[in-house]
Amino acid sequence: MEKRFEGKVVVITGGSRGIGAAIALELARQGYQVVGTATTDAGAAGISEALAGYAGCRGARLDVNDSAATEALIDEVVKTQGGLHVLVNNAGVAIHGDTPDFSQENWRKLMSLNVDAVFWCCKAAIPHLLAVGGGTIVNVSSIYGLVGAPGASAYEASKGAVRLFTKSCAVDL
């Protein structure tokens, strides 16, 4: 396979399983240096193991809810891997429940991971993307950011926020 993205660096949040793991593997196959994040050391080690056959690819532990840790990881990736070209904000959580019964704890957890973390990652990455002449940010949302479904109003609000933030961020730059 042609490695037309060789030397390009991508950070993928939530890269240890599901959609994030599939994205990480495909981008590694295309030649990207992939840094996939997970919330645990075991998850980061799993990413490193899955991508072991690809140069410059690894897992990293990151709590995307921690803005300082997010900025530190992005800075470390840029320093050790020579730049940042793509950010994929994939980390997220789906918590469902009827609005009257939805707890404040679940609301904060959902918004923190699905919305706040996207903001922190973009904020940390944008200066580095601009420094290499531009780059790409992919913010993973959901069809539920557009439509309603029973028992999912909080989740839908979070994914709708990601969609609008993405559009607004594109206009800002």
Side-chain angles (χ1 to χ4, degrees):
M1 174 178 285
E2 178 186 352
K3 303 271 186 171
R4 62 181 248 226
F5 299 109
E6 197 161 12
K8 302 290 186 182
V9 179
V10 57
V11 170
I12 302 170
T13 66
S16 64
R17 57 194 166 100
I19 293 169
I23 293 169
L25 184 57
E26 181 55 33
L27 293 181
R29 285 181 181 147
Q30 292 182 22
Y32 281 97
Q33 294 179 36
V34 175
V35 178
T37 73
T39 57
T40 65
D41 290 331
I47 296 167
S48 292
E49 186 178 318
L51 301 177
Y54 301 96
C57 296
R58 64 186 170 97
R61 185 174 186 267
L62 176 64
D63 175 359
V64 291
N65 290 310
D66 182 338
S67 62
T70 299
E71 186 173 344
L73 176 73
I74 296 291
D75 289 347
E76 182 269 331
V77 166
V78 169
K79 184 178 179 182
T80 60
Q81 298 195 237
L84 179 66
H85 303 88
V86 180
L87 169 67
V88 178
N89 280 311
N90 173 68
V93 65
I95 304 172
H96 298 288
D98 293 332
T99 300
D101 302 323
F102 209 79
S103 70
Q104 182 175 356
E105 178 184 354
N106 280 343
W107 176 266
R108 285 303 335 137
K109 181 178 180 180
L110 188 74
M111 292 300 167
S112 181
L113 186 54
N114 291 3
V115 181
D116 297 352
V118 170
F119 176 81
W120 297 130
C121 290
C122 288
K123 185 177 187 311
I126 287 170
H128 298 293
L129 295 171
L130 294 174
V132 296
T136 301
I137 298 175
V138 177
N139 293 326
V140 177
S141 185
S142 167
I143 188 65
Y144 291 107
L146 293 171
V147 300
S153 61
Y155 177 74
E156 292 162 349
S158 74
K159 292 304 184 176
V162 168
R163 290 181 54 79
L164 289 176
F165 171 74
T166 301
K167 287 181 178 187
S168 294
C169 196
V171 171
D172 285 346
L173 300 176

